[in-house]
Amino acid sequence: GAVVSQHPSWVICKSGTSVKIECRSLDFQATTMFWYRQFPKQSLMLMATSNEGSKATYEQGVEKDKFLINHASLTLSTLTVTSAHPEDSSFYICSARERMVPAGYGYTFGSGTRLTVV
Amino acid sequence: GQQLNQSPQSMFIQEGEDVSMNCTSSSIFNTWLWYKQDPGEGPVLLIALYKAGELTSNGRLTAQFGITRKDSFLNISASIPSDVGIYFCAGLNSGGYQKVTFGIGTKLQVIP
């Protein structure tokens, strides 16, 4: 089945530094990738949608200059949290939409990245 | 934006019991999805529903797409300890980037 690899699985960084999270579709081409943020005991909240070769579309309230998304190929998207602050600490999850697969079954999620900013 | 209300938010059940959880939306969805999330992991798709009234099973799991297209339920029969986790309903509409909107989740705990 479709596999999405997300790396790193956890990261601790100092306040003010930047952190890059990678999301790769290992055995399929992803037309679209999605980035979610999940705070403890809460649901997944969509942050942005990215298509290969074009600018990401951000959800309302998500700062595009703080959360930089690059979708350089059909198998790789990266999320960079710039100038991280403790309130950015969260669980970040990516999802890749597989081409030519019926909606619903075509969405595969990564295993998430636990970001802790100290 | 679209909101999904999921209930109950948490439940404790005895191993072997059946479980039911449901989800309602303020607006219509074309596809309903049910996911399970284990701690520290991403969600995994359990069942996808594409037509109003559709009833679909996956092993001990059964889910239905409400006729109004604004609701769905998930049943788990004969629960086992590995059913523990958080279950999310999610809605998907056609058009645009086809964003998945998640419910708030139901935390299930099974007592052996």
Side-chain angles (χ1 to χ4, degrees), chain A residues 27-84:
Chain A
D27 49 1
F28 67 95
Q29 291 185 329
T31 51
T32 306
M33 287 190 174
F34 305 86
W35 288 95
Y36 293 84
R37 180 167 50 183
Q38 185 179 31
F39 292 107
K41 299 183 180 180
Q42 293 190 22
S43 187
L44 286 75
M45 299 302 297
L46 182 65
M47 299 174 66
T49 303
S50 73
N51 286 290
E52 183 258 343
S54 62
K55 289 185 179 180
T57 302
Y58 290 82
E59 295 299 300
Q60 193 172 9
V62 178
E63 299 173 59
K64 62 179 181 181
D65 294 330
K66 180 170 185 59
F67 298 100
L68 301 178
I69 292 172
N70 186 301
H71 194 155
S73 75
L74 283 171
T75 59
L76 174 63
S77 176
T78 60
L79 168 68
T80 301
V81 183
T82 63
S83 187

Side-chain angles (χ1 to χ4, degrees), chain A residues 32 34 36 38 41-46 49 51 54-55 57 59 91 93 97 102-112 114, chain B residues 31 33 35 37 39-50 56 86 88 92-93 97-105 107:
Chain A
T32 306
F34 305 86
Y36 293 84
Q38 185 179 31
K41 299 183 180 180
Q42 293 190 22
S43 187
L44 286 75
M45 299 302 297
L46 182 65
T49 303
N51 286 290
S54 62
K55 289 185 179 180
T57 302
E59 295 299 300
F91 193 53
I93 308 173
R97 170 87 167 93
Y105 286 102
Y107 293 83
T108 303
F109 287 80
S111 55
R114 172 72 59 195
Chain B
T31 301
L33 307 168
Y35 290 89
Q37 184 181 31
E41 298 288 332
V44 174
L45 181 68
L46 299 173
I47 291 180
L49 301 159
Y50 296 103
T56 297
I86 301 178
F88 289 99
L92 176 64
N93 275 329
Y97 292 121
Q98 298 187 321
K99 297 184 292 187
V100 177
T101 302
F102 282 85
I104 59 173
K107 184 175 183 179

Side-chain angles (χ1 to χ4, degrees), chain A residues 2-27:
Chain A
V3 177
V4 171
S5 172
Q6 192 171 337
H7 179 80
S9 56
W10 61 270
V11 58
I12 301 174
C13 72
K14 289 186 177 180
S15 187
T17 61
S18 295
V19 173
K20 180 185 284 189
I21 302 170
E22 289 188 352
C23 181
R24 292 181 185 272
S25 56
L26 297 186
D27 49 1

